[in-house]
Amino acid sequence: MFDSLTKNLDNILRRIKGTAVITESNTREAMREIRMALLEADVSYKVVKDFTTICQQRAMGQEVLRSVSPGQQVVKIVHDELVNLMGPVDHAIQYNEHGPTIIMLAGLQGSGKTTTAAKLARFLQHKGHTPMLVAADVQRPAAVEQLKVLGAQLKLPVYFEDGGRPPRICERSIQAAREKNCDLVVLDTAGRLHIDEALMQELGEIKDRVKPQQVYLVCDAMTGQDAVNSANEFNQKIEIDGVILTKLDGDARGGAALSIKAVTGKPIKFIGMGERLESLEEFHPDRMASRILGMGDVVSLVEKVQAQVDADRARELEEKIRKRSLTLEDFLEQLQQVKKLGSLQDIMGALPGMSGVDFSSAEGEIPRVEAIVRSMTFEERRDPEIIDSSRRRRIASGSGTNTQEVNQLLKQFRQMKKVMKQFSEGSVRKNLGGGLSGGALMARRPPKPPRGPGFRVR
Ligand SMILES: Nc1nc2c(ncn2[C@@H]2O[C@H](COP(=O)(O)OP(=O)(O)O)[C@@H](O)[C@H]2O)c(=O)[nH]1
Ligand SMILES: [Mg+2]
């Protein structure tokens, strides 16, 4: 799979990996080579252009990490952007609570619909479902026969009619599925060699009548840009939920896999990796990126170092908290720092003892807290004790909040300070629930007791 692309990228990245200094010109050179490799892989031109532009920007903007070479970081950037290019993917199927869940497959003739219908039924069978296969391709009599054979292999019922119109067949199959206690129906629809009006009309009608929970377009990876273009057209005519990309096992280039999401806006959800019924896999952009780059070791090294840097920063923050006598001004500054550093959950989670505390609800509090503190005078920030009721009213109206919210913040700040004090004295363990974790940022939801090892002051 993707042999030549992998080889080309490997060559380029192997060279840049060892680079000690990343300059505008050497990244540009690497990006030029990556651009060539992707175009050669039949990735669409605009996708390639956007991809290399963003990689270049990120390479130039990246912070220097100790212990990995800048070149290694570039490898990681390319990896991450490949993941972004192909994802995100949500594999979940919205199951129908009121009857069989209907999955509709569409696609051009020969793309692998009938085979994929059986593969998908098998996949879902292994997840505990009882699927029924529906032969809605009456274009070719052999297609019905093919599905019957596959159904028999899987010991699954196959619904078919002799002749008739596919939309009606599909409709009646749902009733048959109910009668057979099947909780899932996979519709194998007719294909054509090319997209034509009649086909789209038929597919649209099926969709209208049976209202499928999922519509997958089956595309042949080996047809490269043609697969991408037809996916785009199908999606415009009958909206699809995602793509199942087949014959990836025989695809040396990778153009379809890399372009489909960017061009159509719809992700690849499954991939076909062979003719056998067990050769269907969920599509995971990160795994695919690693397969393509084949530089898993470098990527995980950079990830480790990045995690270490976050931990270093958290330790700095902790040090500050410990040393300072906290004023609201410091508090604001720390908030801003936290905001800059990334998710509050990540940062606080890296502090010793905080790993079990849920900060996710606190994230939204930051702007409000910020507004309140900003509406205070310097004196008030340094010495919140002077904030009397008239000051409270002024601060509330200045920050677009109410006096209750100002009160709440001040109360939490006091609690936090108390905990800070204990924190630096090393005796926090006993009062965690009402302490830092119950501080200003936790205004809306009481904290869960932490599962971590408790505070340790090192
Ligand atoms: N190598 C490989 N062959 C596949 C895959 N999926 C389908 N095929 C083959 O592609 C051909 C056409 O498949 P079929 O299901 O009949 O396509 P349909 O016309 O869309 O229903 C068959 O020979 C399948 O065995 C796959 O993932 N890998
Ligand atoms: Mg078929």
Side-chain angles (χ1 to χ4, degrees):
M1 195 187 69
F2 306 170
D3 298 336
S4 50
L5 176 62
T6 297
K7 204 166 108 244
N8 287 342
L9 287 178
D10 193 63
N11 276 337
I12 301 163
L13 294 175
R14 205 162 287 284
R15 252 177 292 132
I16 195 147
K17 195 176 78 174
T19 311
V21 185
I22 287 294
T23 63
E24 173 103 29
S25 84
N26 66 12
T27 37
R28 208 168 278 290
E29 174 63 17
M31 291 310 148
R32 201 182 59 78
E33 291 177 345
I34 290 176
R35 182 149 55 221
M36 299 294 288
L38 292 173
L39 287 174
E40 214 172 286
D42 201 22
V43 181
S44 71
Y45 180 75
K46 182 167 185 313
V47 173
V48 173
K49 199 160 147 278
D50 293 349
F51 180 83
T52 47
T53 303
I54 199 155
C55 286
Q56 169 82 17
Q57 276 168 359
R58 281 195 55 198
M60 295 322 296
Q62 77 183 330
E63 298 167 79
V64 181
L65 297 175
R66 281 171 280 129
S67 35
V68 292
S69 77
Q72 286 173 317
Q73 285 185 68
V74 173
V75 174
K76 170 81 163 84
I77 289 171
V78 173
H79 173 273
D80 288 354
E81 289 309 322
L82 280 177
V83 175
N84 288 340
L85 188 63
M86 294 182 282
V89 183
D90 178 5
H91 298 102
I93 294 171
Q94 290 299 322
Y95 290 100
N96 181 5
E97 286 168 20
H98 310 289
T101 300
I102 302 160
I103 298 176
M104 174 176 168
L105 301 187
L108 294 177
Q109 195 172 307
S111 60
K113 280 181 307 303
T114 305
T115 317
T116 302
K119 285 178 176 177
L120 194 61
R122 180 187 176 276
F123 179 89
L124 294 163
Q125 193 180 20
H126 281 253
K127 290 199 153 190
H129 294 282
T130 46
M132 185 169 97
L133 289 161
V134 178
D137 180 358
V138 294
Q139 291 277 309
R140 296 180 303 165
V144 178
E145 206 47 48
Q146 186 189 357
L147 197 66
K148 280 196 214 163
V149 171
L150 294 170
Q153 278 177 31
L154 296 171
K155 300 189 172 55
L156 288 177
V158 176
Y159 184 85
F160 63 95
E161 294 181 9
D162 295 319
R165 295 194 59 237
R168 297 285 302 152
I169 296 174
C170 291
E171 222 171 15
R172 282 192 287 266
S173 75
I174 311 303
Q175 189 50 38
R178 281 181 203 274
E179 282 160 16
K180 283 194 177 309
N181 281 325
C182 291
D183 67 343
L184 220 143
V185 170
V186 181
L187 307 175
D188 176 28
T189 64
R192 302 276 200 284
L193 288 172
H194 302 284
I195 292 179
D196 65 28
E197 251 338 287
L199 172 64
M200 290 302 168
Q201 188 124 21
E202 181 174 301
L203 295 174
E205 200 182 326
I206 294 174
K207 213 182 146 188
D208 286 347
R209 290 213 186 189
V210 305
K211 306 221 168 3
Q213 273 68 39
Q214 268 310 279
V215 180
Y216 295 123
L217 181 70
V218 179
C219 286
D220 177 347
M222 288 167 73
T223 62
Q225 282 310 295
D226 286 344
V228 180
N229 294 335
S230 69
N232 210 15
E233 214 168 319
F234 267 99
N235 187 43
Q236 278 160 10
K237 298 253 164 67
I238 54 154
E239 206 197 340
I240 60 171
D241 295 301
V243 169
I244 302 181
L245 195 62
T246 61
K247 309 186 200 179
L248 223 58
D249 50 310
D251 178 18
R253 307 221 281 172
L258 288 168
S259 315
I260 279 179
K261 170 77 200 302
V263 173
T264 67
K266 296 296 157 74
I268 296 165
K269 297 213 174 185
F270 291 92
I271 49 179
M273 295 293 290
E275 297 197 36
R276 295 158 58 89
L277 294 184
E278 52 276 23
S279 313
L280 183 80
E281 297 175 16
E282 277 183 344
F283 178 69
H284 293 278
D286 50 340
R287 289 182 210 164
M288 184 55 76
S290 305
R291 271 185 190 176
I292 293 172
L293 286 186
M295 289 219 176
D297 49 339
V298 175
V299 172
S300 61
L301 172 69
V302 177
E303 271 163 11
K304 259 187 226 132
V305 172
Q306 278 171 341
Q308 181 55 42
V309 168
D310 286 347
D312 286 353
R313 288 203 179 135
R315 218 164 288 124
E316 273 167 36
L317 189 65
E318 180 196 343
E319 188 70 10
K320 274 192 183 152
I321 291 172
R322 203 145 55 83
K323 277 197 185 141
R324 290 191 185 189
S325 76
L326 206 69
T327 68
L328 271 165
E329 234 174 340
D330 299 324
F331 183 51
L332 181 60
E333 189 190 307
Q334 267 154 13
L335 269 185
Q336 281 157 347
Q337 217 162 6
V338 165
K339 226 168 57 177
K340 213 169 61 202
L341 287 179
S343 124
L344 190 59
Q345 183 70 54
D346 292 347
I347 302 302
M348 296 310 265
L351 288 173
M354 300 300 256
S355 58
V357 187
D358 181 7
F359 282 97
S360 51
S361 71
E363 216 82 36
E365 307 288 335
I366 294 182
R368 198 163 50 88
V369 172
E370 214 178 312
I372 294 174
V373 178
R374 282 195 191 290
S375 295
M376 296 177 184
T377 64
F378 280 118
E379 292 76 34
E380 288 164 349
R381 292 182 204 180
R382 298 235 167 81
D383 184 11
E385 297 308 315
I386 66 171
I387 302 176
D388 57 15
S389 58
S390 86
R391 284 179 191 255
R392 267 165 229 238
R393 275 197 299 278
R394 196 205 74 241
I395 292 166
S397 73
S399 59
T401 58
N402 56 44
T403 50
Q404 264 161 324
E405 284 174 307
V406 177
N407 277 339
Q408 199 176 23
L409 171 68
L410 291 172
K411 184 165 151 237
Q412 288 164 334
F413 178 68
R414 266 199 301 276
Q415 282 178 339
M416 186 162 173
K417 244 177 109 164
K418 209 165 91 193
V419 174
M420 287 298 147
K421 197 155 156 279
Q422 291 167 326
F423 197 26
S424 52
E425 287 163 5
S427 61
V428 181
R429 219 174 250 278
K430 58 181 188 291
N431 186 28
L432 204 59
L436 180 59
S437 57
L441 298 174
M442 295 300 290
R444 295 246 161 88
R445 204 196 315 163
K448 284 191 221 152
R451 278 177 276 111
F455 283 125
R456 264 182 302 114
V457 177
R458 283 163 304 174

